[in-house]
Amino acid sequence: MTYNKINYWNNRKDPNNDFCRSQTYNHVNLVKPFITKNLNILEYGPGIGRMIELYKDQTHINFFDISSAYEERLKQKCDSQGLKIQQYIIDKDNTIKTPFKDNEFDIVCAFEVLIHSPETEIDELIRELSRIGKKVIVITWYKNGETLSSSYCFTRDYKNIIKKNNLKLIHWDEDSLSSIPQVFYVYSK
C-alpha cells in the first residue's frame, strides 16, 4: 500500500501519542533559547499544538498543515492561551510548496514532521523550509545517520542532506535527547 500523507493524517485519531507527549517538556526546553519575543514564526505540521507552550511569549503564530483534521483542536488550545494564530491548510497532492514569500518568517519550526516525509520529498521540503524561513528548527527521529523506513516513518542522514543542498548547519544536538534516537538541529541558507 502506498503511503498517502494526507489520508494518513486525516484518519489518525491522536497525532500525539503518549510517547510524543512525554517528550514535549524536553523538546520545548531545547528549542526555547532560539525563540525570542516578537518573532514571525511558522510551525510546519503543528497537529494539535503539542509545542504551543514554546510560543507563550509571542503575540501571534502561524501554522501550516496538510490536514484539517486537527484544525479546531489547535485553535481551541491557542485561544485558551490567548495566542492569536493564522492557520494555513493545504490538503492537495503537492504538500511541499507553501504559499509564503522568500524569508517571510524569522523561524520555521518542524517538530516530528520530517520523520513522516517520504524519501522522494525530503530534499525539496528541506529547501522549501529554508526558502520561507531565515532559520529552520527541526526535531526528528534520528539514529546516527542510519536510514530507517516503515510505512509512514522515515529517517535519513540530515547532515548530508543539508550539505548537498548548500545549506548551513547552525546547531546539531543528538546528545540532549539520548534516551531516544532523536536529533535537534537548526539550519539556514
Side-chain angles (χ1 to χ4, degrees):
M1 186 167 152
T2 303
Y3 171 57
N4 180 304
K5 291 184 303 190
I6 296 170
N7 288 342
Y8 175 78
W9 289 108
N10 281 336
N11 293 306
R12 190 167 169 181
K13 299 288 184 232
D14 184 4
N16 299 128
N17 60 29
D18 290 339
F19 174 76
C20 289
R21 282 188 288 274
S22 72
Q23 298 304 310
T24 299
Y25 178 79
N26 194 20
H27 289 174
V28 166
N29 285 330
L30 282 172
V31 177
K32 200 179 285 188
F34 293 87
I35 306 292
T36 58
K37 282 188 175 184
N38 302 318
L39 292 176
N40 189 15
I41 299 173
L42 173 75
E43 184 173 336
Y44 186 94
I48 60 171
R50 181 176 70 90
M51 298 291 283
I52 291 297
E53 180 187 334
L54 184 62
Y55 311 121
K56 66 182 178 185
D57 292 332
Q58 305 301 315
T59 56
H60 179 267
I61 191 83
N62 303 280
F63 296 111
F64 179 89
D65 215 330
I66 63 170
S67 171
S68 59
Y70 315 112
E71 186 175 12
E72 191 54 38
R73 286 170 68 187
L74 177 62
K75 184 181 180 320
Q76 289 173 358
K77 193 169 190 175
C78 291
D79 286 349
S80 72
Q81 294 192 22
L83 186 60
K84 294 178 183 168
I85 63 171
Q86 177 67 51
Q87 290 181 294
Y88 302 89
I89 307 293
I90 183 167
D91 55 359
K92 59 182 184 174
D93 289 339
N94 182 359
T95 59
I96 304 296
K97 184 70 176 148
T98 66
F100 309 114
K101 297 179 218 165
D102 292 358
N103 294 315
E104 186 165 340
F105 302 100
D106 297 307
I107 294 178
V108 174
C109 300
F111 305 122
E112 304 297 350
V113 172
L114 299 185
I115 188 173
H116 300 292
S117 298
E119 191 68 35
T120 56
E121 298 178 358
I122 194 66
D123 284 300
E124 186 180 357
L125 178 56
I126 284 179
R127 286 190 305 268
E128 178 65 8
L129 297 179
S130 68
R131 181 190 70 78
I132 63 175
K134 296 171 188 166
K135 287 184 183 171
V136 180
I137 298 175
V138 175
I139 294 178
T140 194
W141 185 269
Y142 177 82
K143 191 170 181 181
N144 300 319
E146 291 180 27
T147 299
L148 164 79
S149 182
S150 74
S151 59
Y152 61 91
C153 292
F154 313 88
T155 187
R156 62 270 301 168
D157 185 349
Y158 292 105
K159 285 182 178 178
N160 185 47
I161 292 170
I162 289 168
K163 182 179 178 180
K164 80 177 183 181
N165 284 290
N166 297 313
L167 300 169
K168 180 181 174 188
L169 186 61
I170 298 169
H171 181 87
W172 182 270
D173 181 354
E174 57 189 281
D175 296 328
S176 295
L177 298 165
S178 60
S179 64
I180 51 175
Q182 288 187 317
V183 65
F184 160 54
Y185 65 94
V186 181
Y187 70 95
S188 68
K189 291 176 220 38

